[in-house]
Amino acid sequence: MTWTTHLPLIAILRGIRPDEVLAHTQALVDAGFDAIEIPLNSPDWAQSVQLAARAFGDRALIGAGTVLRPQDVDQMVAAGGKLVVTPNTHAPVIRAAAQAGLVSCIGCMTATEAFAALDAGAQALKIFPAGALGPGYVRALKAVLPAEVPVFAVGGITPENLVDYLAAGCIGAGLGSDLYRPGQPVERTAERARAFVTAYRSAQSDRT
């Protein structure tokens, strides 16, 4: 399996509104991000996905997060999204994403959940909540997973600790409140996006 974007960092715009999604997505793309999720518990999330996908779909993988039901997958596809991110391991959602030809990053915590997600067709795994579990836990779980499976750390990831999760075997991370909080100015999003990109590239340079 290979991840489909150049930068394996997923921007999580939880709580973003349709009237502000284009400006923040522009800031992220300008910083180098090419994977962006809009969680379903955001206001008018489908409209935001549609707007972002129309404007940036040729430069970034746009989709939805906190996807809990197969119906949500259908609604996201109708909005033009191509990325499904879940907080949990729910086989019907994973199969719906696979059948639609979407990129999926499926939430799991245990080895049982991780292998159930892969059996259902998950393309990548999201270890959540990584911040509470720590890089040691992620390293132990990664040791029993197929080496080719892309693993992301999500939950509590900052520019300062990103390197620890990359060293534990993750290819990247999903970035939530340390990147974007509802209502913050675009300038703040741009600043945090640059900090994460710098941290990722620095970690990659140190490993080569």
Side-chain angles (χ1 to χ4, degrees):
M1 298 180 187
T2 57
W3 184 245
T4 63
T5 66
H6 296 293
L7 181 74
L9 299 177
I10 304 172
I12 304 170
L13 298 180
R14 188 178 306 280
I16 194 121
R17 302 190 312 269
D19 64 328
E20 58 189 357
V21 69
L22 292 180
H24 288 270
T25 302
Q26 181 73 66
L28 291 165
V29 171
D30 288 346
F33 278 76
D34 55 357
I36 299 166
E37 68 162 277
I38 298 166
L40 269 62
N41 54 358
S42 303
D44 299 318
W45 69 269
Q47 184 181 356
S48 289
V49 169
Q50 184 178 63
L51 290 169
R54 284 180 177 175
F56 301 100
D58 60 338
R59 287 177 282 172
L61 185 64
I62 307 292
T66 318
V67 178
L68 302 175
R69 307 173 303 163
Q71 302 96 296
D72 299 330
V73 176
D74 296 337
Q75 190 174 357
M76 193 206 69
V77 170
K82 296 181 179 179
L83 170 67
V84 169
V85 183
T86 75
N88 62 334
T89 304
H90 186 45
V93 168
I94 302 169
R95 287 194 290 266
Q99 289 167 3
L102 305 174
V103 177
S104 63
C105 187
I106 303 302
C108 61
M109 186 174 74
T110 66
T112 299
E113 293 171 344
F115 281 104
L118 294 174
D119 287 344
Q123 291 184 324
L125 298 176
K126 160 186 166 179
I127 308 303
F128 177 79
L133 298 167
Y137 179 91
V138 174
R139 183 179 291 105
L141 181 58
K142 184 72 172 61
V144 301
L145 296 174
E148 70 274 13
V149 174
V151 173
F152 289 77
V154 182
I157 308 304
T158 68
E160 292 74 29
N161 67 21
L162 175 61
V163 63
D164 298 327
Y165 290 92
L166 297 176
C170 294
I171 71 158
L175 312 172
S177 60
D178 208 71
L179 173 66
Y180 173 82
R181 293 177 185 269
Q184 76 180 25
V186 175
E187 293 76 15
R188 173 67 175 173
T189 300
E191 173 194 335
R192 298 308 295 161
R194 290 191 296 267
F196 273 109
V197 171
T198 297
Y200 175 80
R201 290 178 176 163
S202 176
Q204 292 299 100
S205 296
D206 291 344
R207 296 170 68 184
T208 57

